């Protein structure tokens, strides 16, 4: 009984910042907690009050639901107490991951960064991680340095940073190679895999067509719900549709896609992320930040 | 039934239109006439009654005596029989603490008494000053007079009993009990807190020795109670609280106490309360106490009949409408009384009382160890309110 009272106090204490009406519940919970730890009766009847409040709210709306809540109130309370602590633990863990890895999911994170502005610029332990140079190069040539861009257009941040990438490509394409790696941050999402597959297949038809295809993808997200829309985009981009279709159906770039996923996981990347000279930059970035990131890499010789 | 338009006299019912107030055994709502009377002290009479020579003080003195007379008349007593106290509890404490127990030290009471009646005597019993004996009720929560006859004997000094029970609203034949007590030369204290507001109570006709009641349970203000007793009995009591106005004369080593009721009214009195209580008596007299009683009984009858149709409800006390007033105490099996009260409040703004109603031994005797729910009716309650109440109870009981 002391445990739920303490939980109730914590919950109502925080809620009381938003509404004064929770103050009395917080005070009652605390009083109840002190009573219980002293082996005295909880005189505040906070449990009865909350139970009545919830059941009275439900009763005019659904008798069945009210009845279930009334009959199993203790069980539901216990469930929510456990849930409270579990979610608390996960929240703390996620907050830690955000600050350390830039993603709620931690080292193996695959989700979009929760941070609007990139805060992550960390050293990569190059002894452990090998980034394959295979990808969709904006400027295929033999440069000493390569900027890798891990992204998935399913994540809205990618569309937002696209103009920045274009600017960077035009500014640095004579100094460094810039490779885009289609990165399905959620491998269980079929649309993400198909998108990555489509990007690889479009690249097969030459850089010029690929860049047109890339622009069209960003214009409409119809492909998200309709796979055959990729064919239409391919045709509009001047890509040979038959070859594109055959490529799409063969899934011959799956190994490359899986390799990208493995790399991203190992590096703790989300979408979008930038890797340059054993350093990573995660999340939605501004042009200035990305430029600075590259310049620092270039100067770090 | 009393005309529904009476509700217009109660400002709080005009303010909270959907309020269904069924907590009248705890305290009643106040009509405008009473509120105006209370305010009149501060606007028309604000001074010390009968102490100063100025006209304001004299006019307040007259107003207080006029009020005392009105209150006395309301309960069939003489004005010198009326002692103002803070409430009914204080009146009962006054008796217990100042009664002179001589050779006879037995006090007979019942397990159905309010804590205010029970505790002062329970303390005396614990201190070994008296011997307390209880008369047990019958299964229907009424009392058999023969049980009183059995308990009250020549050793009995006092019989302490309620007139109407605050837990179930059942009445006791106090006139017969007084007769039994007097046959044994014992005095009778009647706790009239739940009877004076609801039925015609005549102190002289009942031939009792003490009657106590509270103002706030009968439309009057809080903070005012009354002890009614005969002068010769009051004279035998030591003063309770002492101070200004309780004495005729004080020397450095001598006190001459004033005659009752002054002897027991120490310090400045609750003048606005006294004036307000007199206004409440006047208001009730205009309605007629017979009508008040009839109205409550009809509401209680309607409520009990409808509540009995709800399968999970247990109603405490006799179902003989003639033996009970407008109080219904009940429990819904499987739901705590406090939860029922909270749900009634939250669902339909119905105000009832839950718990032990300051009568724990009574409720425990009934087997309601977690307490019960009490709905108590008064003059402004209506049949429509009973309908809403019973329908809401039906919904709540469907939870189990």
């Amino acid at each position: 009984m002391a445990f739920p009272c303490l939980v109730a106090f914590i919950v109502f204490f925080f809620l009381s910042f938003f509404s004064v009406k929770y103050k009395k519940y917080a005070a009652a919970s605390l009083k109840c907690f002190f009573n219980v730890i002293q082996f005295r009766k909880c005189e505040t009847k906070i449990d009865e009050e909350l139970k009545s409040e919830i059941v009275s709210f439900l009763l005019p709306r659904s008798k069945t639901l009210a009845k279930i809540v009334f009959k199993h109130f203790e069980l539901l309370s216990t469930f929510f107490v456990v849930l409270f602590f579990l979610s608390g633990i996960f929240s703390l863990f996620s907050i830690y991951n955000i600050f350390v890895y830039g993603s709620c999911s931690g080292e193996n994170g695959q989700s979009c960064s929760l941070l609007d502005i990139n805060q992550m610029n960390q050293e990569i332990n190059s002894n452990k991680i090998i980034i394959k140079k295979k990808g969709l190069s904006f400027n295929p040539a033999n440069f000493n340095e390569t900027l890798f861009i891990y992204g998935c257009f399913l994540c809205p941040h990618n569309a937002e940073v696209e103009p920045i990438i274009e600017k960077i490509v035009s500014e640095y394409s004579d100094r460094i190679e810039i490779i885009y790696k289609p990165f399905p941050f959620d491998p269980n999402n079929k649309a993400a895999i198909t998108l990555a597959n489509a990007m690889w297949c479009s690249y097969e038809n030459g850089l010029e067509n690929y860049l047109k295809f890339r622009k069209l993808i960003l214009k409409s997200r119809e492909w998200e719900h309709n796979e055959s829309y990729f064919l239409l985009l391919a045709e509009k981009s001047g890509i040979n549709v038959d070859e594109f279709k055959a490529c799409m159906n063969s899934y011959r770039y799956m190994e490359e896609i899986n390799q990208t996923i493995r790399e991203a996981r190992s590096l703790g990347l989300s979408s979008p992320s930038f890797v340059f000279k054993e350093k990573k930059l995660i999340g939605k970035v501004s042009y200035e930040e990305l430029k600075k990131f590259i310049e620092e890499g270039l100067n770090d010789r | 039934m009393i005309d529904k338009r009476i509700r217009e006299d109660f400002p709080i019912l005009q303010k909270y239109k959907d309020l269904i107030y069924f907590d009248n055994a705890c305290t009643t709502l106040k009509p405008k006439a009473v509120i105006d009377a209370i305010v009149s002290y501060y606007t028309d009479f604000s001074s010390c009654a009968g102490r100063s020579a100025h006209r304001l003080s004299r006019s307040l003195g007259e107003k207080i005596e006029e009020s005392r007379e009105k209150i006395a008349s309301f309960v069939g007593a003489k004005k010198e029989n009326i002692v103002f106290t803070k409430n009914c509890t204080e009146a009962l404490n006054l008796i217990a603490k100042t009664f002179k127990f001589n050779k006879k030290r037995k006090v007979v009471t019942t397990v159905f008494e309010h804590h205010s009646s029970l505790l002062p005597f329970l303390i005396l019993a614990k201190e070994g000053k008296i011997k307390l004996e209880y008369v047990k009720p019958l299964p229907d929560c009424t009392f058999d007079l023969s049980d009183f006859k059995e308990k009250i004997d020549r050793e009995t000094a006092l019989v302490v009993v309620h007139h109407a029970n605050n837990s179930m609203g059942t009445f006791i034949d106090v006139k017969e009990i007084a007769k039994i007590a007097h046959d044994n030369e014992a005095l009778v204290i009647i706790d009239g807190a739940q009877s004076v507001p609801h039925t015609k109570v005549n102190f002289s006709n009942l031939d009792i020795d003490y009657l106590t009641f509270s103002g706030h349970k009968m439309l009057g203000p809080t903070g005012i109670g009354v002890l009614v007793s005969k002068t010769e009995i009051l004279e035998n009591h030591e003063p309770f609280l002492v101070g200004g106005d309780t004495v005729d004369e004080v020397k450095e080593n001598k006190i001459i106490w004033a005659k009752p009721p002054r002897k027991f009214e120490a310090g400045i009195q609750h003048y606005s309360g006294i004036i307000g209580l007199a206004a409440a008596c006047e208001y009730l007299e205009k309605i007629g106490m017979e009508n008040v009683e009839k109205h409550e009984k009809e509401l209680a009858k309607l409520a009990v009949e409808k509540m009995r149709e709800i399968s999970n409800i247990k109603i405490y006390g006799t179902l003989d409408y003639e033996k009970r007033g407008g109080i219904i105490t009940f429990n819904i099996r499987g739901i705590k009384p406090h939860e029922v009260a909270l749900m009634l409040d939250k669902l339909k703004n119905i105000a009832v009382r839950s718990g032990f109603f300051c009568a724990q031994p009574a409720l425990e005797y009934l087997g309601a160890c977690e307490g019960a729910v009490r709905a108590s009716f008064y003059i402004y309650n209506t049949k429509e309110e009973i309908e809403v109440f019973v329908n809401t109870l039906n919904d709540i009981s469907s939870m189990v």
Side-chain angles (χ1 to χ4, degrees):
Chain A
M1 189 63 194
F3 194 54
C5 282
L6 186 62
V7 173
F9 168 70
I10 296 166
V11 172
F12 289 123
F13 177 75
F14 283 108
L15 286 176
S16 64
F17 286 108
F18 304 100
S19 174
V20 181
K21 75 172 184 176
Y22 295 111
K23 261 190 179 173
K24 62 169 183 176
Y25 290 137
S29 312
L30 190 63
K31 193 175 172 192
C32 189
F33 171 72
F34 283 120
N35 278 347
V36 173
I37 58 170
Q38 290 171 70
F39 301 104
R40 290 195 310 216
K41 234 175 126 180
C42 175
E43 288 163 351
T44 61
K45 297 191 174 175
I46 174 101
D47 51 337
E48 291 176 20
E49 191 143 332
L50 290 173
K51 185 177 176 182
S52 308
E53 179 107 34
I54 294 164
V55 172
S56 301
F57 175 79
L58 294 173
L59 195 55
R61 291 162 178 85
S62 165
K63 274 193 181 179
T64 316
L65 189 58
K67 196 173 175 176
I68 292 168
V69 171
F70 185 84
K71 281 198 165 179
H72 306 289
F73 190 77
E74 304 278 311
L75 192 68
L76 287 168
S77 306
T78 312
F79 171 73
F80 281 113
V81 166
V82 172
L83 200 64
F84 171 82
F85 276 99
L86 284 179
S87 66
I89 291 164
F90 278 111
S91 299
L92 290 173
F93 187 62
S94 298
I95 290 166
Y96 169 80
N97 282 338
I98 284 174
F99 282 101
V100 176
Y101 301 108
S103 157
C104 297
S105 312
E107 200 175 358
N108 298 325
Q110 298 161 48
S111 61
C112 294
S113 169
L114 290 181
L115 300 173
D116 273 342
I117 303 166
N118 158 67
Q119 297 290 326
M120 315 301 292
N121 186 353
Q122 297 174 351
E123 292 279 347
I124 294 167
N125 186 343
S126 57
N127 295 332
K128 285 183 186 170
I129 302 153
I130 300 159
I131 299 175
K132 288 201 173 174
K133 217 177 167 183
K134 202 168 182 188
L136 317 181
S137 176
F138 284 98
N139 54 338
N142 257 336
F143 289 104
N144 287 336
E145 312 298 348
T146 307
L147 170 70
F148 293 98
I149 304 170
Y150 290 79
C152 174
F153 287 138
L154 277 172
C155 180
H157 288 171
N158 280 266
E160 288 165 28
V161 297
E162 187 65 9
I164 296 162
I165 292 173
E166 281 175 14
K167 214 171 163 184
I168 291 292
V169 168
S170 67
E171 203 173 325
Y172 288 94
S173 57
D174 58 341
R175 282 186 277 170
I176 56 171
E177 188 177 5
I178 301 165
I179 293 177
Y180 183 81
K181 289 201 166 212
F183 165 40
F185 60 80
D186 181 3
N188 296 319
N189 185 342
K190 195 170 173 252
I193 297 288
T194 309
L195 174 64
N197 191 30
M199 295 198 73
W200 274 100
C201 289
S202 69
Y203 195 76
E204 219 177 45
N205 255 258
L207 180 61
E208 200 179 325
N209 290 345
Y210 159 72
L211 291 173
K212 282 182 198 165
F213 184 78
R214 188 180 170 93
K215 270 190 193 298
L216 288 172
I217 278 176
L218 286 168
K219 274 190 180 168
S220 165
R221 289 175 74 95
E222 181 67 27
W223 44 265
E224 205 176 326
H225 315 289
N226 180 8
E227 277 183 31
S228 60
Y229 198 73
F230 282 122
L231 300 179
L232 186 69
L233 296 182
E235 195 180 357
K236 278 187 179 177
S237 311
I239 294 169
N240 183 319
V241 176
D242 290 337
E243 283 175 21
F244 180 78
K245 195 176 175 182
C247 172
M248 287 283 281
N249 292 337
S250 71
Y251 282 94
R252 59 174 166 260
Y253 290 103
M254 273 316 289
E255 178 44 39
E256 283 77 3
I257 293 167
N258 285 331
Q259 171 63 23
T260 303
I261 294 169
R262 281 195 293 273
E263 287 170 11
R265 280 185 176 176
S266 312
L267 294 167
L269 304 180
S270 72
S271 170
S273 293
F274 304 86
V275 176
F276 187 55
K277 291 195 72 183
E278 296 174 6
K279 280 191 174 176
K280 60 184 176 180
L281 183 66
I282 299 168
K284 185 184 158 189
V285 291
S286 66
Y287 167 72
E288 288 74 21
E289 285 166 331
L290 187 51
K291 188 178 164 65
K292 191 181 166 207
F293 175 67
I294 296 166
E295 288 297 330
E296 280 175 0
L298 287 172
N299 293 331
D300 186 21
R301 292 197 185 260
Chain B
M1 297 288 287
I2 294 170
D3 197 318
K4 266 183 236 171
R5 280 174 299 183
I6 198 173
R7 294 172 68 85
E8 289 166 17
D9 292 348
F10 292 81
I12 200 164
L13 293 176
Q14 301 309 306
K15 189 175 180 182
Y16 306 114
K17 292 276 184 193
D18 65 338
L19 170 67
I20 299 179
Y21 190 78
F22 285 171
D23 195 15
N24 295 291
C26 186
T27 194
T28 57
L29 307 179
K30 321 301 173 201
K32 192 162 185 311
V34 169
I35 297 166
D36 288 345
I38 297 165
V39 173
S40 78
Y41 165 70
Y42 298 101
T43 55
D44 304 342
F45 301 103
S46 198
S47 59
C48 301
R51 295 189 179 198
S52 308
H54 56 79
R55 71 186 76 170
L56 203 55
S57 172
R58 287 205 308 274
S59 78
L60 176 64
E62 284 163 18
K63 183 74 182 170
I64 293 299
E65 288 317 301
E66 187 191 305
S67 299
R68 195 189 296 273
E69 202 158 345
K70 220 175 266 179
I71 295 161
S73 151
F74 185 76
V75 290
K78 293 175 190 164
K79 75 171 193 173
E80 57 269 25
N81 300 150
I82 301 293
V83 177
F84 291 121
T85 57
K86 193 166 70 185
N87 43 37
C88 188
T89 302
E90 188 177 272
L92 288 159
N93 272 274
L94 186 157
I95 304 166
K97 288 186 190 299
T98 62
F99 186 84
K100 288 177 185 164
F101 291 97
N102 295 320
K103 283 182 185 172
K104 297 184 359 163
R105 293 179 179 273
K106 182 172 162 184
V107 174
V108 175
T109 188
T110 77
V111 288
F112 278 2
E113 297 312 311
H114 190 279
H115 291 170
S116 299
S117 301
L118 203 57
L119 289 175
F121 294 100
L122 204 53
I123 287 171
L124 291 177
K126 279 193 174 289
E127 288 171 352
K129 291 176 182 167
I130 62 163
K131 186 184 168 201
L132 197 57
E133 286 198 9
Y134 296 96
V135 176
K136 296 279 165 67
L138 299 171
D140 70 350
C141 300
T142 60
F143 287 89
D144 188 343
L145 284 175
S146 62
D147 290 334
F148 279 95
K149 272 184 191 159
E150 200 178 294
K151 292 279 178 192
I152 301 166
D153 54 24
R154 291 276 160 189
E155 295 302 310
T156 308
L158 277 173
V159 178
V160 187
V161 71
H162 59 271
H163 191 185
N165 183 286
N166 91 309
S167 308
M168 284 151 293
T170 45
F171 279 87
I172 285 189
D173 187 349
V174 290
K175 194 169 183 174
E176 279 303 310
I177 291 170
K179 196 170 175 298
I180 299 165
H182 292 162
D183 287 346
N184 288 282
E185 291 175 0
L187 299 181
V188 182
I189 301 169
I190 299 298
D191 171 7
Q194 297 296 345
S195 63
V196 174
H198 306 284
T199 186
K200 184 77 194 156
V201 175
N202 191 298
F203 176 75
S204 307
N205 288 353
L206 290 175
D207 193 23
I208 52 183
D209 304 293
Y210 304 92
L211 172 70
T212 60
F213 59 97
S214 269
H216 71 97
K217 291 186 194 292
M218 49 183 287
L219 309 178
T222 52
I224 187 74
V226 178
L227 161 62
V228 190
S229 187
K230 295 162 190 164
T231 308
E232 60 272 24
I233 292 174
L234 288 172
E235 274 174 345
N236 267 333
H237 281 259
E238 289 295 320
F240 179 49
L241 298 170
V242 293
D245 231 20
T246 52
V247 288
D248 277 340
E249 203 179 323
V250 188
K251 302 282 181 196
E252 280 182 12
N253 51 8
K254 184 184 167 192
I255 309 166
I256 300 173
W257 297 110
K259 282 202 170 299
R262 272 181 56 213
K263 179 180 171 184
F264 300 101
E265 293 176 355
I268 293 291
Q269 294 297 290
H270 182 14
Y271 300 131
S272 63
I274 295 167
I275 298 169
L277 177 55
C281 292
E282 208 172 331
Y283 186 89
L284 285 169
E285 265 173 351
K286 270 187 199 160
I287 297 167
M289 289 312 289
E290 299 78 9
N291 294 329
V292 171
E293 188 178 352
K294 200 176 156 205
H295 181 82
E296 287 177 28
K297 276 186 190 288
E298 276 184 45
L299 289 179
K301 186 179 175 189
L302 178 69
V304 169
E305 277 171 3
K306 286 186 176 288
M307 284 167 72
R308 287 177 74 184
E309 290 168 15
I310 303 171
S311 56
N312 293 325
I313 284 189
K314 177 176 173 53
I315 300 169
Y316 298 99
T318 177
L319 296 177
D320 180 349
Y321 305 112
E322 286 311 309
K323 288 181 182 170
R324 62 185 304 156
I327 293 177
I328 301 171
T329 295
F330 63 95
N331 263 324
I332 298 179
R333 287 180 195 94
I335 310 183
K336 287 179 184 170
H338 192 57
E339 290 170 350
V340 175
L342 285 168
M343 282 194 257
L344 283 168
D345 176 52
K346 287 178 201 305
L347 287 168
K348 292 286 175 192
N349 202 6
I350 301 169
V352 294
R353 175 85 181 264
S354 58
F356 291 107
F357 329 130
C358 302
Q360 194 170 350
L363 270 289
E364 284 180 352
Y365 187 85
L366 295 170
C369 294
E370 283 193 274
V373 186
R374 181 180 70 184
S376 48
F377 314 125
Y378 211 32
I379 50 175
Y380 33 73
N381 292 129
T382 64
K383 284 184 176 178
E384 289 77 14
E385 288 181 328
I386 300 285
E387 292 282 344
V388 176
F389 170 63
V390 176
N391 290 339
T392 314
L393 278 183
N394 215 351
D395 282 344
I396 295 170
S397 74
S398 71
M399 297 281 104
V400 286

